[in-house]
Amino acid sequence: MAQMDMELKKAFTEMQINKLETTKKINMIDMKCDMVKTGKHKYQLTEKGTSSLSDDTRVYQSVGRMFLLTDVQNMREDLKAKQDKCDKAIELLEKKKEFLQKSLKDQEDGLRELVQQRKEADVGAK
């Protein structure tokens, strides 16, 4: 009987630790996702702001800490590529988040099943 209690206590402790770690990871994923969405929105606003310019207009495009002279068409293509990259990053982050949530739920279900088996074993022993 004491052995079963120790096993349950250990399982609960492990689940609590795992839940805390998983929650931290999910929060980090949410923060990264928000950052990527903010970047994508910035690219969309820049694209919208330059939509009235003709294709051969020369503009300065930010590259790191410097600016390069280019035409609007090249800048728009670059902005589209950056937006696509953001979409892929968001999709990947969402998949990671779903996986973490599913694994946490599976662990909780396994613990519930263990508790149920212990209850049934205790009732059967009496």
Side-chain angles (χ1 to χ4, degrees), residues 1 7 13 22 25-26 28 48 53 67 79 101 110 124:
M1 185 74 169
E7 288 178 29
T13 304
T22 303
K25 288 177 185 176
I26 289 172
M28 289 297 293
K48 185 177 178 183
L53 300 174
F67 294 91
L79 289 172
Q101 289 171 334

Side-chain angles (χ1 to χ4, degrees), residues 24-84:
K24 282 182 185 179
K25 288 177 185 176
I26 289 172
N27 289 339
M28 289 297 293
I29 287 172
D30 286 339
M31 285 178 19
K32 287 179 184 177
C33 207
D34 288 343
M35 287 173 37
V36 172
K37 286 178 182 176
T38 301
K40 181 182 176 188
H41 186 67
K42 181 181 82 170
Y43 300 139
Q44 289 171 333
L45 289 175
T46 304
E47 186 177 14
K48 185 177 178 183
T50 60
S51 63
S52 62
L53 300 174
S54 65
D55 287 348
D56 61 343
T57 304
R58 305 290 281 169
V59 293
Y60 286 97
Q61 181 177 358
S62 171
V63 179
R65 297 189 318 181
M66 66 180 186
F67 294 91
L68 296 178
L69 186 61
T70 186
D71 58 57
V72 173
Q73 188 62 31
N74 284 339
M75 186 185 70
R76 287 184 188 138
E77 290 171 6
D78 186 55
L79 289 172
K80 282 286 188 194
K82 288 178 179 179
Q83 289 177 46
D84 291 342

Side-chain angles (χ1 to χ4, degrees), residues 86-113:
C86 288
D87 288 336
K88 289 176 183 172
I90 290 169
E91 183 180 332
L92 182 66
L93 289 169
E94 290 294 334
K95 285 181 181 179
K96 285 182 181 179
K97 182 178 174 180
E98 287 174 18
F99 174 77
L100 288 172
Q101 289 171 334
K102 185 181 182 307
S103 67
L104 187 60
K105 185 181 180 314
D106 288 346
Q107 187 179 13
E108 288 172 353
D109 291 344
L111 189 59
R112 278 191 199 95
E113 188 177 311

